[in-house]
Amino acid sequence: MIRLENLTKQFPGMDRLAVNKLNLEVGKGEVCVLVGPSGCGKTTTMKMINRLCEPTDGKIYVDGQDTSKMNPIKLRLDIGYVIQQIGLFPHMTINDNVATVPKEKKWPKEKIKKRTAELLELVGLDPREHGGRYPSGLSGGQQQRVGIARALAADPPIMLMDEPFAAVDRITRSRLQNEFLRLQRELNKTIIFVTHDIDEAIKMGDRIAVLREGKLIQYDEPGKILSEPAGDFVANLVGRNRSIKRLHLIRAHEILEEEHWGVPLDTPREEIKERIEESVISTVMVIDEKGYLKGIIGRRAIEEKEGEKAEDLMEEVPDNVTDDATLNDALSVMLEIGEGYVPVVDADGLFRGTLTLNTLLDQVRSDKSAK
Amino acid sequence: MEVIDYFIRRQSMVMELFWEHMYLIVVAVGIAVAVGVILGIIITYNRTLAQGVLIVCQVLMTIPSIAMLGLLLPFFGIGFTTGMLALVLYSLLPIVRNTHSGIIEIDKAIIEAATGMGMNEWRKLTRIKLPLALPVIMAGIRTATVMVVGIGAIASYIGAGGLGQLIFNGISRTNPPMIITGAIFISIIAVGFDLILGWSERRLHVAGRD
């Protein structure tokens, strides 16, 4: 889908090559993460793909076509572009921002309107509530959702994303990352994703290209980068705590257990008591008839509270994670709420099960023994 | 009260001069906006050119108005054209400078996003750069207009017409009510333009959401 051949860039007045004979191939539907310290040439490489920056030497092929022979405007209309600073147009409403590329492509008005609403919903915004607002009326996380919707507007087969989640706080970032990965499973775009954060690279990438001073040091799957780093540079970049980083590679739904300590709203007190005794986390989850998580009951609650049914005994759920969250996300939520477990829900909010600290530990141990 | 008396007696003449003055300003600022905005846009593409043009405009504005009129007289003669030309030259700097800086100071990320999404230069200019720079350009037009109202009064001296005539004739005839009537009307025009243009500038800021 995208092939870089001996790609080289030298900025005028600089001795050092910003990008040095880079060869890289990204398959269709793959997320390729370019990672490395600042000045390693990752952003320059990305900008050469949509010709915001012209190579000094070498070729770029998109779908087998040499991009240097294509009209840059036409090339860019078919490549979604998301940048760290978001770059929403402050004088246009959210709707108009998202409609930018469709308007450039002269789509009919009705089609643009429909597509805009569809996209806002896709990235988790309400078209009626947010569509007519200006970017300044949105939070940073919401703005970047709009930035992603805008890049996706004309359904480009390729997306270039330059540190798209770097400007938002840690919690919002991990949420946006998870949402983006879920979108990607549906949309199957070919993505070049630039980041300086190795954790993000491991989490987001199908393959990771580690760059240093314009050269490609290693190009591998995340698991390989962790287990077989090519040389000291990659090993240092990955850092010491690789076991924790492995938690980025596994998603909650992959290791959820059958046993989930969920009980219906009308469960009698005695039964709840038994279940709590059996449970390794001494807690049961209360679920309504539709399958939504309603509350939790711990040992303390059942001892102190009056009432005969689960409904009367339950307390508020401290927090949960979605089933596509990584084990690392789950671990941070557990540390945040100070419990040895976290309930898992799916994209629609339905209860899927519970992750415990023990399952995480088992996972880390089995990784270690597998090595 | 002699002033009110004077105004009532010479109402039609004063009003005629008032409209003459307005005409002079509107035409001069109109031409200056057309030339200045285009020039301001052009120089955003070349830094050296921008410096040159801005220095020339700065020099033009530094020349005292009476000297400017004197310099133009030999070429364009006595009358409206010379006066108007002087006003155009004076209004250029604030308009060119504000158009230039209004566009240059737009967040680079916004321009990069527009380019990256496949907007060509013309679309970027009309859909992104000019709308975002508009409040700043408007501020330049406001400065130019208010300044030109005053210089327009001096242009009456070389026969460009307008309310300045009341002041100059009043001085030579030692007729204080005539001088004051002219002065008051010129002030009214200046303050009036300032208020109206200031208001529209603020409106643009709100629409621009910046």
Side-chain angles (χ1 to χ4, degrees), chain A residues 49 55 148 161 204 218 221 252 276-278 308 312 343 366:
Chain A
I49 295 171
I148 289 167
M161 309 181 79
M204 305 301 283
Q218 186 172 9
E221 289 165 7
I276 288 179
E277 294 305 321
E278 289 166 17
E308 287 306 315
D312 314 313
S366 69

Side-chain angles (χ1 to χ4, degrees), chain B:
Chain B
M1 297 316 95
E2 282 173 76
V3 176
I4 296 170
D5 247 21
Y6 176 84
F7 175 67
I8 292 167
R9 265 191 298 119
R10 309 303 302 275
Q11 196 178 357
S12 64
M13 189 263 287
V14 173
M15 285 321 284
E16 199 179 306
L17 290 174
F18 172 82
W19 288 118
E20 225 174 74
H21 206 106
M22 291 288 277
Y23 180 69
L24 185 67
I25 287 154
V26 170
V27 172
V29 173
I31 294 173
V33 168
V35 176
V37 170
I38 290 171
L39 200 57
I41 291 169
I42 290 171
I43 63 174
T44 57
Y45 295 102
N46 186 321
R47 193 188 281 231
T48 331
L49 186 67
Q51 274 170 352
V53 169
L54 289 173
I55 287 172
V56 171
C57 290
Q58 178 77 58
V59 169
L60 282 176
M61 206 167 106
T62 317
I63 299 173
S65 44
I66 205 84
M68 172 80 89
L69 294 169
L71 287 172
L72 292 174
L73 263 180
F75 302 98
F76 302 97
I78 281 183
F80 182 79
T81 316
T82 310
M84 192 203 59
L85 198 60
L87 297 194
V88 170
L89 292 177
Y90 276 113
S91 350
L92 277 181
L93 177 68
I95 297 173
V96 173
R97 188 188 49 203
N98 281 31
T99 306
H100 175 255
S101 65
I103 291 175
I104 288 292
E105 275 159 26
I106 295 171
D107 186 354
K108 291 280 166 294
I110 293 172
I111 306 293
E112 194 194 309
T115 315
M117 271 183 302
M119 282 196 186
N120 61 32
E121 197 47 52
W122 175 251
R123 299 278 287 169
K124 265 192 285 181
L125 188 65
T126 53
R127 288 198 58 195
I128 310 293
K129 292 181 181 178
L130 283 180
L132 284 176
L134 203 55
V136 186
I137 297 174
M138 206 59 206
I141 295 174
R142 179 178 165 201
T143 311
T145 311
V146 172
M147 187 177 64
V148 151
V149 173
I151 299 172
I154 298 172
S156 305
Y157 197 65
I158 54 142
L163 291 162
Q165 235 167 284
L166 288 178
I167 298 178
F168 288 119
N169 292 347
I171 292 172
S172 56
R173 292 177 205 166
T174 355
N175 181 348
M178 191 174 180
I179 301 173
I180 295 170
T181 308
I184 288 175
F185 271 88
I186 290 169
S187 309
I188 288 174
I189 294 178
V191 173
F193 270 121
D194 193 48
L195 287 177
I196 293 167
L197 294 174
W199 175 79
S200 54
E201 194 186 314
R202 278 191 300 279
R203 290 269 319 219
L204 288 172
H205 264 293
V206 175
R209 308 275 155 165
D210 51 357

